């Protein structure tokens, strides 16, 4: 099986997106894949290949387990708890492996883990527009503020170039 430990985070997310795309293609053609580390083939050109098998009802939790394998470190398989510092990925894996609320593949495809940068920016813009009209002590503002440090740290402005921050501050004030 392929050694994922040397890959960067972004490369691992790209592989997840490719696996998701390959599963969609297989489903459209009446197939499924045995999602184990040994069923993922990476060619010399770094192209992903899945081994097709008859459709399996265990495919979604297996995909979740495969995410844990891809994000393992030092040869130690990850556990869901190990992804808590990556809330979006943690949410996806928890959802995929929960027998009570297991999603369908088309639902997984819409998860924020697989959003493009443009979609993420559009979402943040929509949220920002909605928040602009909320009262400072509303429930939604308090919930956002309570989790904001988990998401962006103490100073979110350090994540962007100074020119961008100066431009944004002309239109809105941010705390």
């Amino acid at each position: 099986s392929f050694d994922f430990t040397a890959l960067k985070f972004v490369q691992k997310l790209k592989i997840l997106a490719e696996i998701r795309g390959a599963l969609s293609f297989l489903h459209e053609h009446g197939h499924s894949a045995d999602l184990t580390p040994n069923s993922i083939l990476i060619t010399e050109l770094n192209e992903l290949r899945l081994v097709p098998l008859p459709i399996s009802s265990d495919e979604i939790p297996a995909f979740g387990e495969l995410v844990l394998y891809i994000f393992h470190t030092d040869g130690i398989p990850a556990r869901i708890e190990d992804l808590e510092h990556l809330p979006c990925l943690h949410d996806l894996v928890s959802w995929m492996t929960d027998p009570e609320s297991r999603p369908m593949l088309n639902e997984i495809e819409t998860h924020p883990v697989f959003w493009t940068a443009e979609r993420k920016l559009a979402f943040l813009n929509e949220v920002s527009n909605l928040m602009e009209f909320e009262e400072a002590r509303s429930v939604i503002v308090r919930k956002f503020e309570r989790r904001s440090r988990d998401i962006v740290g103490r100073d979110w402005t350090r994540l962007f170039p100074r020119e961008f921050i100066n431009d944004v501050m002309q239109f809105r004030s941010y705390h």
Side-chain angles (χ1 to χ4, degrees):
S1 67
F2 186 79
D3 179 16
F4 294 98
T5 57
L7 298 178
K8 295 181 179 175
F9 180 78
V10 173
Q11 293 170 308
K12 292 177 181 184
L13 286 179
K14 184 176 184 253
I15 288 173
L16 294 185
E18 289 180 21
I19 292 170
R20 188 212 64 226
L23 286 176
S24 292
F25 178 83
L26 289 172
H27 280 211
E28 289 170 13
H29 293 86
H31 296 282
S32 185
D34 178 23
L35 291 176
T36 67
N38 292 329
S39 68
I40 297 176
L41 307 174
I42 309 253
T43 69
E44 290 178 9
L45 300 173
N46 288 327
E47 296 171 332
L48 180 106
R49 300 284 187 261
L50 293 179
V51 179
L53 296 171
I55 289 191
S56 163
S57 62
D58 294 332
E59 187 176 67
I60 300 302
F63 189 10
E65 295 295 326
L66 188 58
V67 172
L68 293 174
Y69 179 80
I70 289 171
F71 283 86
H72 78 286
T73 55
D74 300 325
I76 301 168
R79 298 166 305 164
I80 293 175
E81 302 81 43
D82 297 334
L83 299 177
E84 287 180 349
H85 67 289
L86 303 167
C88 201
L89 198 57
H90 181 271
D91 178 68
L92 176 65
V93 175
S94 297
W95 189 32
M96 290 167 46
T97 57
D98 181 356
E100 299 296 317
S101 65
R102 188 166 297 141
M104 301 297 293
L105 182 60
N106 62 338
E107 294 173 306
I108 291 170
E109 292 173 348
T110 63
H111 194 277
V113 163
F114 300 113
W115 288 0
T116 63
E118 292 80 14
R119 174 67 183 107
K120 290 174 186 173
L121 184 58
F123 173 78
L124 292 173
N125 190 43
E126 288 176 39
V127 169
S128 177
N129 289 339
L130 291 171
M131 297 296 283
E132 183 177 13
F133 300 105
E134 287 290 322
E135 295 292 327
R137 299 305 309 153
S138 73
V139 172
I140 193 165
V141 169
R142 288 195 320 254
K143 284 186 178 189
F144 265 88
E145 288 178 353
R146 186 170 44 241
R147 294 296 313 269
S148 66
R149 284 193 178 143
D150 295 338
I151 298 167
V152 295
R154 292 188 179 274
D155 181 14
W156 67 271
T157 61
R158 69 178 166 62
L159 302 173
F160 299 95
R162 178 56 38 206
E163 301 80 27
F164 173 77
I165 297 299
N166 292 339
D167 185 52
V168 167
M169 293 298 194
Q170 292 178 29
F171 302 103
R172 288 202 179 122
S173 65
Y174 294 92
H175 307 283

